[in-house]
Amino acid sequence: MSILSALFQRRKNKYSNRTAEKELFDKENIPKKYDSALEKNIKSLENVFHQTVDFKKVPLKIGHQDAYLCYLTTTLSKNDLNSQILEPLRDAYKRDVEVKSIESIRETFFPAVSYEYVDSLSQVIWEMLNGSAILMIDKCKRALALNIGGTEKRSITEPSTQTIVRGPKDSFVEDMQVNMGLVRKRIKNPRLVFEEFVVGNDSNTKLALCYMNEIVNEDILSELRNRIKKIEASALLDTGNIEELITDSSYTFFPLLFNTERPDSTSGNILEGKIAIFLEGTPFVLIAPAVFTDFFQSSEDYYQPYFLTTFIRVIRYVSFMITLTLPSLYVAIVTYHQELIPTTLLINIQSQRESVPFPAVIELLIMEFTFEVLREAGIRMPRVVGQTLSIVGALVIGQAAVEAGLVSNVLVIVVAFSAIASFVSPVFNFSIAARLIRFILILMASIMGLYGILLTLVVMVTHLVGLRSFGVPYLTPVAPFKLKDQKDVFARFPFWTNTTRPSYLRTAAPVKMKNQSQPKPPSPNKGDENNG
């Protein structure tokens, strides 16, 4: 049996509907077959791991036969290694057992330890890198991989980038198994499938697709599988790397995949028929496909009353337009279209700008660049002083710039308000797109006034119409307009009216809930009224 088929069989036993891992370490000079001669296997492992200090090989005696226990100290718990593996092996030496097979040793001394039989050196190396200890016995045709758990992990905490007031407070961590468990905790359904891949020619990082079988669109799922299999990168350390390699277009400011660190948001999207992409080593999960309106929605929208959610969503859309256009509108109106400003306000603005030596566009770019520097410094500075630096820096620099005559008071208000509005977006990388396009609008407004702003917005909308996320139009269900999907776009209708999944996903099961009406209050009991 080849390494590829052996790896496929091993994964098939552990996970349903999994894709076989690619042949690992094909560039290394590793014998494909596990040798029954113990010394040959040990020499091969020594050649692979070279002089790394965390590779350990412990010589043992099991009965009258030589054995080795090989592991990487950086991938497993030493306490568990001693209690679950080394102590039973000492007992095996004292009892002078007869080694009939590797299976009999496992059944006798490791009945409660998670295990796997491996029959190739590639599998041995793969299991060691994933935190298993490998027991190899002379004259045995395969080895025993004992999985006793990994090293310390970061505990589950509240989300740091997508905070909410009402709703679950847990977030994903860097361990993929923990993240998948958080989703399984919410979706207790055997149709929930985790399909595993290995990506990165050098890093050999685990990646998992998560979807609901019999609900997900098989065409989208097949396309996503193919794109992942075609990845040929040396290392993938975050889902941001995956996003750039599998999206329909890389030449856009707008994100074509939704990213989240919230298990509840991920679970909700999976139940809608979308696919989640987990990567070992990062707490951020990708959701595919994604459309423009997804980035204005938060998981908290479904935990608050629907009329409040609708109001908040309107605020998000308005804030996006403010972030995008307010600075450029200031430049266009002050420079070319003063007739649009009320006379009293125009007099005040011009009186403030009398001492400013720069044109409006230069004045605005100075303040925008200053604020972007303060924003980036606040993110990179230690948390103890980062927030203080941002607030104090903005106040001090803004006030000093006004007093020095470099900018006007009105401009400080415009820049501050547009910057605050950019933080309203629930997804950070989507607000970055608005910030970048804002500079293009400012330059076009300085050249052509309102006509330049309108022209840029037309080009932006045209660009958005042409974008696709795994074949799904980016502006759907607005363009193309889908009436039955409008219950959860600009406004959120009551939960009991949202009975179908988004039609643009073309899921195998479009209906997710039976048609229900709002429950009516019980009629008053006449007997109770009389008693009252």
Side-chain angles (χ1 to χ4, degrees):
M1 182 182 290
S2 65
I3 293 177
L4 184 62
S5 59
L7 286 173
F8 175 76
Q9 185 63 35
R10 176 170 62 91
R11 293 295 169 188
K12 186 176 180 182
N13 292 337
K14 293 177 68 176
Y15 304 96
S16 62
N17 296 328
R18 279 206 167 168
T19 301
E21 295 172 357
K22 64 179 181 179
E23 186 170 330
L24 302 174
F25 319 113
D26 52 357
K27 295 180 181 179
E28 301 286 348
N29 186 20
I30 305 173
K32 289 191 174 182
K33 190 175 181 181
Y34 181 83
D35 202 302
S36 58
L38 181 60
E39 292 301 326
K40 289 184 179 180
N41 296 324
I42 294 299
K43 287 181 180 180
S44 297
L45 290 180
E46 290 175 343
N47 291 334
V48 169
F49 288 104
H50 305 290
Q51 302 298 323
T52 179
V53 295
D54 60 339
F55 172 66
K56 300 296 181 184
K57 57 182 193 310
V58 181
L60 302 167
K61 277 282 189 180
I62 300 180
H64 298 288
Q65 289 186 225
D66 294 328
Y68 271 96
L69 183 70
C70 299
Y71 57 92
L72 297 174
T73 58
T74 52
T75 61
L76 47 72
S77 170
K78 292 182 179 179
N79 292 331
D80 292 336
L81 177 70
N82 290 326
S83 62
Q84 298 185 40
I85 297 179
L86 290 178
E87 288 184 6
L89 288 174
R90 293 189 193 102
D91 185 47
Y93 175 70
K94 292 177 182 178
R95 289 168 53 181
D96 193 19
V97 298
E98 180 182 357
V99 181
K100 296 180 180 179
S101 65
I102 193 74
E103 292 84 356
S104 63
I105 293 297
R106 188 212 63 82
E107 292 171 359
T108 305
F109 297 99
F110 309 106
V113 179
S114 177
Y115 72 95
E116 194 162 346
Y117 297 115
V118 290
D119 52 9
S120 71
L121 281 177
S122 289
Q123 287 180 263
V124 168
I125 297 167
W126 178 250
E127 292 295 338
M128 289 177 63
L129 291 171
N130 283 281
S132 294
I134 308 297
L135 178 62
M136 297 185 289
I137 304 176
D138 194 23
K139 299 180 182 180
C140 287
K141 295 182 179 180
R142 54 182 179 170
L144 176 63
L146 299 167
N147 190 349
I148 56 174
T151 54
E152 293 295 326
K153 306 178 182 68
R154 182 171 67 93
S155 59
I156 297 173
T157 57
E158 289 191 26
S160 58
T161 61
Q162 298 174 348
T163 57
I164 61 174
V165 177
R166 180 178 179 179
K169 300 296 183 181
D170 55 347
S171 68
F172 290 129
V173 295
E174 287 74 16
D175 188 277
M176 192 173 75
Q177 293 294 327
V178 174
N179 296 341
M180 293 192 298
L182 290 173
V183 174
R184 177 70 73 178
K185 180 180 178 181
R186 288 169 167 81
I187 307 177
K188 298 180 176 66
N189 193 316
R191 291 185 297 169
L192 180 67
V193 176
F194 293 101
E195 188 174 336
E196 190 173 278
F197 298 81
V198 178
V199 292
N201 296 331
D202 295 329
S203 62
N204 293 304
T205 310
K206 287 184 178 181
L207 179 147
L209 300 181
C210 179
Y211 56 89
M212 288 294 292
N213 195 25
E214 300 179 11
I215 293 179
V216 69
N217 185 320
E218 290 294 337
D219 294 333
I220 297 177
L221 179 60
S222 178
E223 178 63 24
L224 181 53
R225 284 197 195 110
N226 292 334
R227 294 186 188 184
I228 290 174
K229 290 177 182 178
K230 291 178 181 178
I231 292 177
E232 291 292 339
S234 61
L236 296 166
L237 304 179
D238 187 81
T239 49
N241 306 138
I242 300 289
E243 185 174 1
E244 290 189 35
L245 293 171
I246 66 174
T247 51
D248 293 55
S249 174
S250 298
Y251 303 103
T252 179
F253 292 138
F254 296 93
L256 299 180
L257 292 177
F258 186 84
N259 76 84
T260 180
E261 59 175 342
R262 298 191 59 85
D264 58 333
S265 177
T266 303
S267 302
N269 280 285
I270 291 171
L271 290 170
E272 289 290 310
K274 297 186 178 182
I275 306 167
I277 305 172
F278 294 82
L279 188 71
E280 184 69 40
T282 176
F284 287 93
V285 172
L286 297 177
I287 306 295
V291 295
F292 183 80
T293 56
D294 287 342
F295 298 93
F296 294 91
Q297 300 174 4
S298 171
S299 57
E300 188 179 13
D301 294 351
Y302 306 96
Y303 311 143
Q304 299 283 9
Y306 61 89
F307 51 84
L308 176 61
T309 296
T310 301
F311 174 70
I312 293 174
R313 281 193 185 173
V314 171
I315 290 177
R316 289 176 190 152
Y317 283 102
V318 172
S319 298
F320 174 75
M321 293 306 299
I322 289 173
T323 303
L324 202 62
T325 62
L326 182 60
S328 57
L329 286 173
Y330 172 82
V331 172
I333 292 174
V334 169
T335 306
Y336 295 102
H337 310 283
Q338 293 92 344
E339 68 277 4
L340 297 178
I341 308 176
T343 304
T344 306
L345 180 59
L346 177 61
I347 294 172
N348 290 334
I349 293 175
Q350 293 300 335
S351 63
Q352 292 175 20
R353 298 196 71 254
E354 281 183 359
S355 60
V356 178
F358 306 112
V361 61
I362 301 299
E363 178 188 12
L364 182 60
L365 288 175
I366 290 173
M367 284 304 297
E368 286 284 358
F369 181 75
T370 302
F371 192 86
E372 291 295 333
V373 170
L374 288 171
R375 189 204 307 252
E376 189 66 18
I379 295 173
R380 307 304 167 195
M381 288 288 288
R383 291 186 179 181
V384 178
V385 297
Q387 188 174 5
T388 304
L389 175 69
S390 300
I391 297 173
V392 175
L395 291 174
V396 172
I397 292 177
Q399 184 65 28
V402 171
E403 293 180 357
L406 297 177
V407 298
S408 62
N409 287 321
V410 175
L411 180 67
V412 173
I413 296 173
V414 169
V415 172
F417 187 51
S418 61
I420 292 172
S422 68
F423 289 105
V424 176
S425 174
V427 184
F428 177 73
N429 63 337
F430 187 79
S431 65
I432 294 176
R435 286 160 54 189
L436 294 175
I437 298 174
R438 181 173 59 191
F439 285 98
I440 299 175
L441 285 166
I442 291 172
L443 295 176
M444 292 297 294
S446 67
I447 298 171
M448 302 174 63
L450 292 177
Y451 301 104
I453 296 175
L454 181 60
L455 179 62
T456 305
L457 292 176
V458 168
V459 172
M460 185 190 77
V461 173
T462 304
H463 171 69
L464 290 173
V465 169
L467 290 178
R468 297 290 186 274
S469 179
F470 290 90
V472 177
Y474 195 55
L475 287 185
T476 189
V478 179
F481 184 80
K482 297 183 180 297
L483 180 61
K484 58 183 176 182
D485 291 337
Q486 300 303 312
K487 295 180 180 180
D488 194 20
V489 180
F490 301 104
R492 184 178 83 79
F493 282 39
F495 184 77
W496 45 270
T497 64
N498 195 7
T499 58
T500 59
R501 295 182 173 89
S503 61
Y504 60 82
L505 293 176
R506 303 185 303 277
T507 57
V511 178
K512 65 178 180 181
M513 185 171 63
K514 292 183 178 181
N515 192 13
Q516 301 182 49
S517 59
Q518 186 177 18
K520 298 179 180 180
S523 57
N525 191 314
K526 294 183 178 181
D528 291 342
E529 288 182 353
N530 295 333
N531 292 335

